Amino acid sequence: MTIDYQQILEDIHQEIQPLLSQGKVATYIPELSKVSPQHFGMAVYCLDGRSYMVGDAQQKFSTQSITKLFALSLAFEREGNAIWKRVGREPSGNPFNSLSQLEYERGIPRNPFINAGALVINDILAQRFVQADIAVLQFMRMLSNEVKIDFDREVAISEEKHAHRNSAIAHLMKDFGNLHNPVDSVIASYCRQCSITMTCLELAKAGSFLANHGTIPWSGNKILDSSSAKRLNALMLTCGTYDVAGDFAFRVGLPAKSGVGGGILALVPGELAVCVWSPGLDPAGNSLAGVMALELFTTMTARSIF
Amino acid sequence: MTIDYQQILEDIHQEIQPLLSQGKVATYIPELSKVSPQHFGMAVYCLDGRSYMVGDAQQKFSTQSITKLFALSLAFEREGNAIWKRVGREPSGNPFNSLSQLEYERGIPRNPFINAGALVINDILAQRFVQADIAVLQFMRMLSNEVKIDFDREVAISEEKHAHRNSAIAHLMKDFGNLHNPVDSVIASYCRQCSITMTCLELAKAGSFLANHGTIPWSGNKILDSSSAKRLNALMLTCGTYDVAGDFAFRVGLPAKSGVGGGILALVPGELAVCVWSPGLDPAGNSLAGVMALELFTTMTARSIF
Amino acid sequence: MTIDYQQILEDIHQEIQPLLSQGKVATYIPELSKVSPQHFGMAVYCLDGRSYMVGDAQQKFSTQSITKLFALSLAFEREGNAIWKRVGREPSGNPFNSLSQLEYERGIPRNPFINAGALVINDILAQRFVQADIAVLQFMRMLSNEVKIDFDREVAISEEKHAHRNSAIAHLMKDFGNLHNPVDSVIASYCRQCSITMTCLELAKAGSFLANHGTIPWSGNKILDSSSAKRLNALMLTCGTYDVAGDFAFRVGLPAKSGVGGGILALVPGELAVCVWSPGLDPAGNSLAGVMALELFTTMTARSIF
Amino acid sequence: MTIDYQQILEDIHQEIQPLLSQGKVATYIPELSKVSPQHFGMAVYCLDGRSYMVGDAQQKFSTQSITKLFALSLAFEREGNAIWKRVGREPSGNPFNSLSQLEYERGIPRNPFINAGALVINDILAQRFVQADIAVLQFMRMLSNEVKIDFDREVAISEEKHAHRNSAIAHLMKDFGNLHNPVDSVIASYCRQCSITMTCLELAKAGSFLANHGTIPWSGNKILDSSSAKRLNALMLTCGTYDVAGDFAFRVGLPAKSGVGGGILALVPGELAVCVWSPGLDPAGNSLAGVMALELFTTMTARSIF
């Protein structure tokens, strides 16, 4: 039985309408707060090359933490398991004390998807590439086959101005010997990386290699071996959606990475990548309508990994 | 291509031999410390009714925390989503401060698989059944079609004598109003539940309904609807193996629940349940050889959910 | 220049009138919540035997945590410095996580004036006396020369019914091996100890030996040597007023021990003991009018230790 | 009965000899690690102008955290109680989680003597003076009547290079809005302030106004009113010796402020200021021989505040 993805996307689009006014756009970065919460876009990219879209699926938005997934993939591809000496693989589980957990665990972040972990990954990339942020950008351009993808300099500057908590985290890790580059340059690079702007369709295409055992489906180019891809999927499931990964797995049941810009990239291993965007956030920082859209998607397609 | 499970189990059995001397048998309960770490058993129960075994797969062992999965299934079946008002669905992530997290979160345990959560589930069952522990026992008898499954009274008494930390947890929850029955009776019932003794084959059979969309494969009896079964699978993946669920998902990639007696029950949704037992534990409290056996199992069968 | 204590007490009585309606009577123990917040009494007991009173200085009230000072004095007298192996001498400083600090510090309470520490002291006394609570009662009768001082059985029973947090603390210490008697009996003994009922004048007289280098001023009976008395004074100053000892020292500048019944016993070393009672509490659990009365007392008499 | 301070100092000097080899010189700042732990000096400055010395009492050493007392005095003199909106007055009590406590308390440091609090005081001074560090230096020159007191530029530079934990603290406070000047300039100013080099005699003289109700004894110049001086004394007692203030009060019983350079300045209110220096530290960061010397001093002179 084939699934009519287009029809499903349209049904979802209709069903989530009442939710668009309930989420709250991120305000800690002035540039992000200007986006209307009424936006909603969703794109499916199947491994056979077919794609489906609804709403604002081709409008650019700030990818933010979703870039952590690509930075990690790049670092994992280059450095292999050596990265796990500097960053863990466990859920953080403690929204209330990001610094104290890091302090207790002596500067080793719990996983690469919390800010502390993403800063370490950026630091790792900075030892291998001239500029970590540009390496991530070029990696995402290659994966999505879109050379025009770029940083949003306004957002990057805005983030850097409000990066005091991230600076505190970076200095603490430096104090513990787990940051090798200067704090300021890691912070700046990380802020630029987070400012990368893409569309739902571009992100679904860029992420599809992780649903395809590590190989880019449209080019056959192998990025990671099958086992490594599987392992990043596991990490997305247990740690990809801030402090509510357990709840997200319970409701949606797919590996996913969310960003505070309102995007969520999710995977159905062996079948497709799906990206949803809606800027209104729930209290945990995930797109409110986006989470619901993905829950509807797994219900309507019966596509859960469980 | 069919998989020769018997051959795979035998290959695994051989490969894990060097690990049997490396784990440490749990010592906090005197009764458990008497078991030899040289034991190893593994059983696969396929949804089509076929089963495969190796080593001590038919020797009884103390199921311990694996019973939390069955207690939760029973409570979820009876009370539905109402249970989530009293217990969360997030990984705990804090081996170092079980009480402080509970204190910070005002008596609501992070998930039903940590001791605090299991005590709440026991308390919930105690409001519906005459005795929570007997309800869990009968549920596990029914699921495995083995009427002779029973408590180990020596173990139960031994656990109750060493239950001061669990009593501290229970009193703290009582202080926050999240425990309705007397602390002493909940502790006693919980200790008896943990003492249930079963074999790998019995546990694999008992857990197979969770790999079969909630329906007992050999009887067709529906315990949970498909969506609920999927959700318990998600919970096992994110919270089922103590404080290393992220690492376990990364290495093994299957929903699983482990116990300090050395057993681990894991699921390949839509295909089978697999149970391994080896009493030597790693520092996180999971069976050292058991985790490796499951990692080999997913590699050899290419059966990961990711 | 002699000080007219009577006049000062009367001036204070007048000045604190507006505060009597601002504090909140403790409600966690039903028996305590029945007391009117309008009560105010204050008594000065000078080392030369003269005493001064105002208001309800001769009305009985529930001494509660003030008894911890006498239990500690008794244990210190009997066991000497050996007690410091089981309880610390540092301020707790963490109202928000009484259990997590105890967990982090492996069952050794920060000081003898937090509940965990007082339970340990009670446990120590229970090894030397038939009943710890009766030993404390008899000690306080002797110190105040009042044989009719007694427990309030209603209060003791009421406290025991609401002792779940203290039970959690006791079980946690038992788990760490820092409680030798059964949890239930220590809790019961501690609750009775806290229920001792006395007047301001009786308490000031009972505490006067600590202002007199360890010797009861009216009998010449030496309870502690001078150095030990000095050290308990220091402990009162740094730890005697719950989590605001720093603020209390800043404002009042006297060693003191407060109770949730609204009493505060303070010392001017070498001169006098002063006890104030007013049941309305500030958010930290100290008598609101009582703290102000003591602040006025040190200002008017220029009697600070600093 | 007059006290022969000179004899007492010489007796102390002899008695502490065996301790000189037991402490460990601070190593986190390379410049400090070069000092020999065999140094010992002690000076008493009486309010009547007489002074007494023993050992290296006139050798310069790095005052470090002792400067926090003078920075606080200066800020308190200028801003009064307004400073307590930005910094607390409670002991910190948590050596293990300096950042988590600050995070929990939303960027308000527990007291002005922990690093976080001293950074806030520096930030407050920076709003009133052109340079906070120079203001503190000039204040200490004036109090000791020694115009040649100065920074040690090697130490200041060395500290700034190893200031990552302080930078983490400052950025976290900035994130909470409790730091108004740029992080880098506050850190630099704070490091210079800590590098001020003085002798025991100079420090005792500089601190004597706090033992003299706020008035410089040798000039009659009033720095603080009597009540304010008393309150700073109280703060020294409850918070002045890192995380062992309770123990220090218990053993020594005097208001004091210690520094990681091995100095401790203590006060006998109404009588004298005493400063001891010995670079070998105990595990809490206080001078090992210094604490013992002060304990002997209070015992031999019977001068405790309790």
Side-chain angles (χ1 to χ4, degrees), chain C residues 242-262:
Chain C
Y242 303 112
D243 305 304
V244 293
D247 192 65
F248 187 89
F250 187 89
R251 288 173 58 191
V252 177
L254 294 180
K257 184 71 205 84
S258 60
V260 79

PDB file of all heavy atoms in Angstrom, chain C residues 242-262:
ATOM      1  N   TYR C 242      18.516  28.878  60.962  1.00  0.00           N
ATOM      2  CA  TYR C 242      18.157  28.299  59.670  1.00  0.00           C
ATOM      3  C   TYR C 242      19.069  28.839  58.556  1.00  0.00           C
ATOM      4  O   TYR C 242      20.263  28.981  58.756  1.00  0.00           O
ATOM      5  CB  TYR C 242      16.666  28.518  59.360  1.00  0.00           C
ATOM      6  CG  TYR C 242      15.780  27.945  60.434  1.00  0.00           C
ATOM      7  CD1 TYR C 242      15.027  28.762  61.264  1.00  0.00           C
ATOM      8  CD2 TYR C 242      15.740  26.570  60.655  1.00  0.00           C
ATOM      9  CE1 TYR C 242      14.240  28.222  62.270  1.00  0.00           C
ATOM     10  CE2 TYR C 242      14.960  26.027  61.663  1.00  0.00           C
ATOM     11  CZ  TYR C 242      14.217  26.855  62.467  1.00  0.00           C
ATOM     12  OH  TYR C 242      13.458  26.323  63.461  1.00  0.00           O
ATOM     13  N   ASP C 243      18.495  29.158  57.420  1.00  0.00           N
ATOM     14  CA  ASP C 243      19.318  29.503  56.261  1.00  0.00           C
ATOM     15  C   ASP C 243      19.628  30.995  56.173  1.00  0.00           C
ATOM     16  O   ASP C 243      20.067  31.482  55.136  1.00  0.00           O
ATOM     17  CB  ASP C 243      18.620  29.033  54.987  1.00  0.00           C
ATOM     18  CG  ASP C 243      18.320  27.547  55.081  1.00  0.00           C
ATOM     19  OD1 ASP C 243      19.257  26.780  55.309  1.00  0.00           O
ATOM     20  OD2 ASP C 243      17.149  27.172  54.955  1.00  0.00           O
ATOM     21  N   VAL C 244      19.382  31.717  57.236  1.00  0.00           N
ATOM     22  CA  VAL C 244      19.668  33.148  57.213  1.00  0.00           C
ATOM     23  C   VAL C 244      20.602  33.531  58.350  1.00  0.00           C
ATOM     24  O   VAL C 244      20.551  34.661  58.857  1.00  0.00           O
ATOM     25  CB  VAL C 244      18.370  33.999  57.269  1.00  0.00           C
ATOM     26  CG1 VAL C 244      17.570  33.812  55.989  1.00  0.00           C
ATOM     27  CG2 VAL C 244      17.539  33.619  58.487  1.00  0.00           C
ATOM     28  N   ALA C 245      21.465  32.617  58.734  1.00  0.00           N
ATOM     29  CA  ALA C 245      22.378  32.902  59.840  1.00  0.00           C
ATOM     30  C   ALA C 245      23.279  34.089  59.513  1.00  0.00           C
ATOM     31  O   ALA C 245      23.600  34.905  60.383  1.00  0.00           O
ATOM     32  CB  ALA C 245      23.224  31.666  60.158  1.00  0.00           C
ATOM     33  N   GLY C 246      23.687  34.201  58.246  1.00  0.00           N
ATOM     34  CA  GLY C 246      24.531  35.326  57.855  1.00  0.00           C
ATOM     35  C   GLY C 246      23.789  36.643  58.045  1.00  0.00           C
ATOM     36  O   GLY C 246      24.315  37.602  58.615  1.00  0.00           O
ATOM     37  N   ASP C 247      22.570  36.682  57.585  1.00  0.00           N
ATOM     38  CA  ASP C 247      21.769  37.886  57.714  1.00  0.00           C
ATOM     39  C   ASP C 247      21.485  38.212  59.178  1.00  0.00           C
ATOM     40  O   ASP C 247      21.537  39.372  59.599  1.00  0.00           O
ATOM     41  CB  ASP C 247      20.443  37.691  56.961  1.00  0.00           C
ATOM     42  CG  ASP C 247      19.693  38.992  56.812  1.00  0.00           C
ATOM     43  OD1 ASP C 247      20.221  39.881  56.120  1.00  0.00           O
ATOM     44  OD2 ASP C 247      18.609  39.122  57.397  1.00  0.00           O
ATOM     45  N   PHE C 248      21.209  37.195  59.975  1.00  0.00           N
ATOM     46  CA  PHE C 248      20.926  37.396  61.389  1.00  0.00           C
ATOM     47  C   PHE C 248      22.161  37.946  62.107  1.00  0.00           C
ATOM     48  O   PHE C 248      22.070  38.888  62.907  1.00  0.00           O
ATOM     49  CB  PHE C 248      20.472  36.072  62.025  1.00  0.00           C
ATOM     50  CG  PHE C 248      20.001  36.200  63.443  1.00  0.00           C
ATOM     51  CD1 PHE C 248      18.678  36.481  63.725  1.00  0.00           C
ATOM     52  CD2 PHE C 248      20.887  36.057  64.501  1.00  0.00           C
ATOM     53  CE1 PHE C 248      18.232  36.607  65.030  1.00  0.00           C
ATOM     54  CE2 PHE C 248      20.460  36.189  65.825  1.00  0.00           C
ATOM     55  CZ  PHE C 248      19.132  36.463  66.082  1.00  0.00           C
ATOM     56  N   ALA C 249      23.318  37.371  61.796  1.00  0.00           N
ATOM     57  CA  ALA C 249      24.563  37.880  62.404  1.00  0.00           C
ATOM     58  C   ALA C 249      24.798  39.327  61.990  1.00  0.00           C
ATOM     59  O   ALA C 249      25.220  40.164  62.792  1.00  0.00           O
ATOM     60  CB  ALA C 249      25.743  37.006  61.979  1.00  0.00           C
ATOM     61  N   PHE C 250      24.508  39.620  60.722  1.00  0.00           N
ATOM     62  CA  PHE C 250      24.685  40.975  60.191  1.00  0.00           C
ATOM     63  C   PHE C 250      23.784  41.964  60.933  1.00  0.00           C
ATOM     64  O   PHE C 250      24.218  43.047  61.309  1.00  0.00           O
ATOM     65  CB  PHE C 250      24.349  40.957  58.702  1.00  0.00           C
ATOM     66  CG  PHE C 250      24.636  42.227  57.972  1.00  0.00           C
ATOM     67  CD1 PHE C 250      25.886  42.451  57.407  1.00  0.00           C
ATOM     68  CD2 PHE C 250      23.661  43.202  57.821  1.00  0.00           C
ATOM     69  CE1 PHE C 250      26.157  43.623  56.710  1.00  0.00           C
ATOM     70  CE2 PHE C 250      23.925  44.373  57.128  1.00  0.00           C
ATOM     71  CZ  PHE C 250      25.187  44.580  56.577  1.00  0.00           C
ATOM     72  N   ARG C 251      22.536  41.587  61.145  1.00  0.00           N
ATOM     73  CA  ARG C 251      21.578  42.504  61.763  1.00  0.00           C
ATOM     74  C   ARG C 251      21.668  42.519  63.284  1.00  0.00           C
ATOM     75  O   ARG C 251      21.588  43.579  63.908  1.00  0.00           O
ATOM     76  CB  ARG C 251      20.145  42.139  61.351  1.00  0.00           C
ATOM     77  CG  ARG C 251      19.830  42.464  59.913  1.00  0.00           C
ATOM     78  CD  ARG C 251      18.457  41.934  59.514  1.00  0.00           C
ATOM     79  NE  ARG C 251      17.386  42.465  60.346  1.00  0.00           N
ATOM     80  CZ  ARG C 251      16.137  41.998  60.347  1.00  0.00           C
ATOM     81  NH1 ARG C 251      15.816  40.972  59.583  1.00  0.00           N
ATOM     82  NH2 ARG C 251      15.216  42.530  61.127  1.00  0.00           N
ATOM     83  N   VAL C 252      21.763  41.340  63.904  1.00  0.00           N
ATOM     84  CA  VAL C 252      21.677  41.246  65.362  1.00  0.00           C
ATOM     85  C   VAL C 252      23.056  41.119  66.012  1.00  0.00           C
ATOM     86  O   VAL C 252      23.338  41.758  67.018  1.00  0.00           O
ATOM     87  CB  VAL C 252      20.769  40.061  65.777  1.00  0.00           C
ATOM     88  CG1 VAL C 252      20.733  39.928  67.292  1.00  0.00           C
ATOM     89  CG2 VAL C 252      19.362  40.246  65.207  1.00  0.00           C
ATOM     90  N   GLY C 253      23.878  40.253  65.439  1.00  0.00           N
ATOM     91  CA  GLY C 253      25.235  40.130  65.970  1.00  0.00           C
ATOM     92  C   GLY C 253      25.356  39.385  67.280  1.00  0.00           C
ATOM     93  O   GLY C 253      26.289  39.619  68.035  1.00  0.00           O
ATOM     94  N   LEU C 254      24.424  38.469  67.544  1.00  0.00           N
ATOM     95  CA  LEU C 254      24.506  37.648  68.770  1.00  0.00           C
ATOM     96  C   LEU C 254      24.330  36.172  68.414  1.00  0.00           C
ATOM     97  O   LEU C 254      23.583  35.842  67.491  1.00  0.00           O
ATOM     98  CB  LEU C 254      23.394  38.032  69.765  1.00  0.00           C
ATOM     99  CG  LEU C 254      23.428  39.425  70.384  1.00  0.00           C
ATOM    100  CD1 LEU C 254      22.236  39.587  71.330  1.00  0.00           C
ATOM    101  CD2 LEU C 254      24.744  39.674  71.124  1.00  0.00           C
ATOM    102  N   PRO C 255      24.998  35.277  69.155  1.00  0.00           N
ATOM    103  CA  PRO C 255      24.721  33.848  68.987  1.00  0.00           C
ATOM    104  C   PRO C 255      23.275  33.587  69.376  1.00  0.00           C
ATOM    105  O   PRO C 255      22.809  34.120  70.395  1.00  0.00           O
ATOM    106  CB  PRO C 255      25.667  33.169  69.981  1.00  0.00           C
ATOM    107  CG  PRO C 255      26.617  34.213  70.439  1.00  0.00           C
ATOM    108  CD  PRO C 255      25.988  35.543  70.215  1.00  0.00           C
ATOM    109  N   ALA C 256      22.565  32.791  68.571  1.00  0.00           N
ATOM    110  CA  ALA C 256      21.145  32.574  68.848  1.00  0.00           C
ATOM    111  C   ALA C 256      20.681  31.266  68.252  1.00  0.00           C
ATOM    112  O   ALA C 256      21.295  30.724  67.340  1.00  0.00           O
ATOM    113  CB  ALA C 256      20.319  33.720  68.260  1.00  0.00           C
ATOM    114  N   LYS C 257      19.606  30.747  68.821  1.00  0.00           N
ATOM    115  CA  LYS C 257      18.942  29.578  68.239  1.00  0.00           C
ATOM    116  C   LYS C 257      17.456  29.843  68.202  1.00  0.00           C
ATOM    117  O   LYS C 257      16.849  30.181  69.218  1.00  0.00           O
ATOM    118  CB  LYS C 257      19.228  28.305  69.064  1.00  0.00           C
ATOM    119  CG  LYS C 257      18.639  27.038  68.461  1.00  0.00           C
ATOM    120  CD  LYS C 257      19.382  26.636  67.201  1.00  0.00           C
ATOM    121  CE  LYS C 257      18.529  25.787  66.252  1.00  0.00           C
ATOM    122  NZ  LYS C 257      17.676  26.613  65.383  1.00  0.00           N
ATOM    123  N   SER C 258      16.869  29.688  67.019  1.00  0.00           N
ATOM    124  CA  SER C 258      15.446  29.963  66.848  1.00  0.00           C
ATOM    125  C   SER C 258      14.652  28.672  66.699  1.00  0.00           C
ATOM    126  O   SER C 258      15.220  27.608  66.449  1.00  0.00           O
ATOM    127  CB  SER C 258      15.235  30.820  65.604  1.00  0.00           C
ATOM    128  OG  SER C 258      15.724  30.137  64.469  1.00  0.00           O
ATOM    129  N   GLY C 259      13.357  28.770  66.845  1.00  0.00           N
ATOM    130  CA  GLY C 259      12.463  27.630  66.669  1.00  0.00           C
ATOM    131  C   GLY C 259      11.229  28.051  65.882  1.00  0.00           C
ATOM    132  O   GLY C 259      10.860  29.234  65.872  1.00  0.00           O
ATOM    133  N   VAL C 260      10.600  27.086  65.244  1.00  0.00           N
ATOM    134  CA  VAL C 260       9.466  27.386  64.387  1.00  0.00           C
ATOM    135  C   VAL C 260       8.212  27.707  65.208  1.00  0.00           C
ATOM    136  O   VAL C 260       7.195  28.151  64.662  1.00  0.00           O
ATOM    137  CB  VAL C 260       9.248  26.207  63.404  1.00  0.00           C
ATOM    138  CG1 VAL C 260       8.528  25.063  64.082  1.00  0.00           C
ATOM    139  CG2 VAL C 260       8.537  26.661  62.152  1.00  0.00           C
ATOM    140  N   GLY C 261       8.302  27.514  66.509  1.00  0.00           N
ATOM    141  CA  GLY C 261       7.207  27.925  67.390  1.00  0.00           C
ATOM    142  C   GLY C 261       7.218  29.429  67.634  1.00  0.00           C
ATOM    143  O   GLY C 261       6.318  29.965  68.270  1.00  0.00           O
ATOM    144  N   GLY C 262       8.264  30.101  67.129  1.00  0.00           N
ATOM    145  CA  GLY C 262       8.321  31.554  67.257  1.00  0.00           C
ATOM    146  C   GLY C 262       9.278  32.042  68.333  1.00  0.00           C
ATOM    147  O   GLY C 262       9.388  33.246  68.572  1.00  0.00           O
TER     148      GLY C 262
END
